[in-house]
Amino acid sequence: MITNIIFRRSDSPMTSDKPHYENKLPNGWCLTNIGELLINRDGERKPVSSAIRNKQKNKVYNYYGAAGIIDKVDGYLFNERLLLIGEDGANLLSRSKDNAFFADGKYWVNNHAHVLDAIDKNLLDFVAIVINAMKLDDYITGSAQPKLSQDNLNKIPIALPPLYEQIRIVAKLKYWFSFVDCIEYNKGNLQDTIKQVKSKVLDLAIHGKLVPQAPMDESASELLKRINPKAEITCDNGHYQKLPEGWVITSISEMCENINGLWKGKKEPFVKVGVIRNANFTKDFKLDYSKIEYIDVEERAFKKRHLLNGDLIVEKSGGSDNNPVGRAILYEGKDAIFSFSNFTMVLRIHYKDVLSYKYLYYYIMSKYQKGEMRLMQTQTTGLHNLILDKYLDIPLCLPPYQEQQRIINKIEETFGVLDLIMENL
């Protein structure tokens, strides 16, 4: 059984059970509260204003507030491991950080965190676990500025096991917490790895190494010449000396029409249209329909610039140093419902029996992820602008049409597995 030596005073009222506890406490446990169990050292706290802290020069000691370290100061109040519990602030309710945390070594605490001590400091570890596992709403006053007063803190009940059981519980929880931390750390690494794998899959795809070639496929050059005898194509060049059998090198400009985006205009009649902007481009090369804005545009302009299924919308102006322009987002929707803004353009394929829009989409995505678009932009008045000639002259390694379909299927099959892994991390 627990002996009174671990309590703040020997006349602490304790009970082994309470009517509002649905289940009885295990043998050897008792129900107490923080006020009876721990030593409150709030009287030793001392706030230091930001004006004074800014003037201090030898700031080497941690300065704690309601949710952790907020600054450094040139002195300290405590020189031991103590339990701190936030006294006020939004974190008491949101619990985005632990409300109970430890400070050790030499440090200073302001008046926004309760300071708790114990005769046996093993108690502090157990109480910290209990506090961080429970909702404190019933003990918090104020909504605009939530506050956990010392009186209410003292009332928080603690179901307390024997000392050695506390130690075993804390040790086991620390083991599992470290295990969870390890998973979280590796989760981030795995997410980065999955992104790299996707980029590698695309790179293999556009170089003919993702799926095998099939001799019965009609070569891309023969198909293209049959449809467009004037097409400028080559089966090899200095940069692509190992072009797979049946592939040709052409360019985006040869295979696509590029259409500049829509200006709002001022001439009637108007028509209300959903206009796709840069803000609708997601980082994973998808189209976010939730952010599409509907506006009145000139009917005549819309007739020339409405989206067709299979169009690739390219960001030609905007971007940033970390996210250059040149992203292409695939539109797979109904015709004549959406248009695209003047910060974008559309690539519309001339020969859909030769080039699949999905293959072109993944091809441009691969080029973008490899950083090639950084060489195709200029910067003026804070905006990054795509150099259209360079972009449209990107060499397009074109496989036979049947092979394009096999490549698309393999990419989407692989991406589906990787996305499933990401969703379940």
Side-chain angles (χ1 to χ4, degrees):
M1 292 291 292
I2 302 172
T3 61
N4 285 331
I5 192 171
I6 65 173
F7 289 89
R8 182 166 59 86
R9 60 175 188 263
S10 60
D11 59 345
S12 303
M14 297 176 291
T15 178
S16 295
D17 211 346
K18 284 275 186 176
H20 62 271
Y21 272 70
E22 183 178 348
N23 300 312
K24 290 185 177 181
L25 293 173
N27 289 335
W29 289 51
C30 76
L31 187 65
T32 182
N33 58 52
I34 287 182
E36 299 299 335
L37 186 61
L38 302 182
I39 302 167
N40 191 293
R41 297 177 61 176
D42 285 0
E44 301 174 53
R45 305 175 302 180
K46 186 178 179 181
V48 182
S49 69
S50 59
I52 293 176
R53 297 200 308 271
N54 290 337
K55 293 178 182 179
Q56 294 177 346
K57 296 182 179 180
N58 188 29
K59 299 169 65 170
V60 296
Y61 304 105
N62 289 331
Y63 182 73
Y64 283 87
I69 299 169
I70 60 173
D71 201 351
K72 296 278 188 179
V73 291
D74 62 3
Y76 62 92
L77 297 174
F78 303 97
N79 185 16
E80 58 185 313
R81 187 172 184 263
L82 296 174
L83 177 62
L84 307 185
I85 297 178
E87 182 173 342
D88 50 34
N91 191 67
L92 287 171
L93 297 175
S94 68
R95 299 166 69 191
S96 57
K97 297 181 180 179
D98 285 342
N99 282 314
F101 51 95
F102 285 92
D104 203 354
K106 297 177 180 179
Y107 55 92
W108 196 293
V109 183
N110 69 16
N111 58 339
H112 295 286
H114 297 292
V115 182
L116 299 174
D117 199 355
I119 295 172
D120 187 324
K121 290 189 183 291
N122 287 304
L123 283 170
L124 300 178
D125 292 281
F126 183 78
V127 171
I129 289 170
V130 174
I131 294 297
N132 289 328
M134 69 183 296
K135 292 180 68 175
L136 300 175
D137 301 40
D138 293 341
Y139 305 93
I140 294 170
T141 58
S143 54
Q145 180 63 21
K147 183 177 180 63
L148 176 62
S149 67
Q150 188 179 129
D151 287 342
N152 284 342
L153 173 68
N154 289 338
K155 295 174 185 176
I156 295 176
I158 302 291
L160 192 68
L163 182 59
Y164 288 108
E165 190 168 349
Q166 292 175 43
I167 295 172
R168 291 197 302 272
I169 290 171
V170 170
K172 181 61 70 174
L173 285 173
K174 284 184 177 179
Y175 166 78
W176 285 112
F177 286 168
S178 65
F179 187 68
V180 170
D181 289 341
C182 182
I183 292 175
E184 285 294 322
Y185 173 78
N186 289 318
K187 174 182 174 181
N189 289 343
L190 184 55
Q191 288 172 336
D192 290 339
T193 300
I194 288 174
K195 291 178 182 178
Q196 293 173 13
V197 170
K198 282 188 171 184
S199 181
K200 184 62 177 179
V201 167
L202 292 174
D203 188 56
L204 292 173
I206 68 172
H207 289 93
K209 298 178 180 179
L210 188 62
V211 299
Q213 280 74 51
M216 69 287 298
D217 291 343
E218 182 180 12
S219 72
S221 59
E222 292 174 358
L223 180 59
L224 187 56
K225 286 178 180 178
R226 179 163 52 83
I227 294 176
N228 179 22
K230 296 181 180 180
E232 296 181 9
I233 55 177
T234 179
C235 294
D236 210 350
N237 70 9
H239 299 291
Y240 297 90
Q241 295 180 355
K242 296 183 180 180
L243 201 64
E245 189 71 26
W247 287 47
V248 296
I249 297 173
T250 179
S251 65
I252 291 177
S253 61
E254 190 69 30
M255 300 302 297
C256 300
E257 175 187 9
N258 69 292
I259 307 167
N260 284 322
L262 178 74
W263 288 89
K264 185 176 180 180
K266 298 180 180 180
K267 294 183 179 180
E268 297 183 354
F270 295 124
V271 58
K272 190 171 288 293
V273 177
V275 178
I276 293 173
R277 309 172 187 276
N278 303 32
N280 303 115
F281 288 34
T282 68
K283 291 182 179 180
D284 57 349
F285 296 82
K286 302 293 184 183
L287 184 57
D288 182 0
Y289 285 93
S290 68
K291 298 179 180 179
I292 290 178
E293 182 180 350
Y294 288 81
I295 62 173
D296 291 326
V297 299
E298 290 183 8
E299 186 176 0
R300 64 172 186 170
F302 176 63
K303 287 181 179 179
K304 298 179 180 178
R305 292 178 173 83
H306 66 267
L307 287 168
L308 302 179
N309 183 53
D311 282 345
L312 272 72
I313 312 166
V314 179
E315 182 184 30
K316 68 174 186 177
S317 186
S320 66
D321 291 336
N322 294 326
N323 296 296
V325 292
R327 286 181 296 173
I329 307 298
L330 181 60
Y331 176 74
E332 294 181 292
K334 295 181 179 179
D335 298 347
I337 290 181
F338 294 108
S339 186
F340 46 101
S341 79
N342 59 299
F343 283 83
T344 66
M345 70 176 181
V346 152
L347 297 178
R348 187 167 291 165
I349 295 172
H350 288 305
Y351 317 109
K352 293 187 177 179
D353 293 333
V354 178
L355 173 60
S356 164
Y357 59 82
K358 280 193 175 181
Y359 178 80
L360 180 60
Y361 166 63
Y362 288 125
Y363 191 92
I364 293 175
M365 185 189 298
S366 175
K367 295 289 185 180
Y368 186 92
Q369 290 183 342
K370 290 181 70 176
E372 294 187 19
M373 307 308 179
R374 295 183 185 278
L375 304 176
M376 303 178 189
Q377 62 179 0
T378 59
Q379 187 172 358
T380 56
T381 62
L383 287 177
H384 295 256
N385 299 299
L386 196 63
I387 303 174
L388 295 184
D389 290 344
K390 287 188 176 181
Y391 190 86
L392 296 173
D393 286 341
I394 292 175
L396 177 59
C397 298
L398 190 66
Y401 190 80
Q402 297 91 334
E403 187 173 342
Q404 292 177 45
Q405 299 304 314
R406 294 196 298 273
I407 289 171
I408 292 165
N409 292 338
K410 179 58 70 174
I411 289 173
E412 293 183 346
E413 176 188 346
T414 306
F415 280 18
V417 173
L418 296 174
D419 289 341
L420 185 62
I421 293 173
M422 286 279 280
E423 290 171 7
N424 288 279
L425 287 178

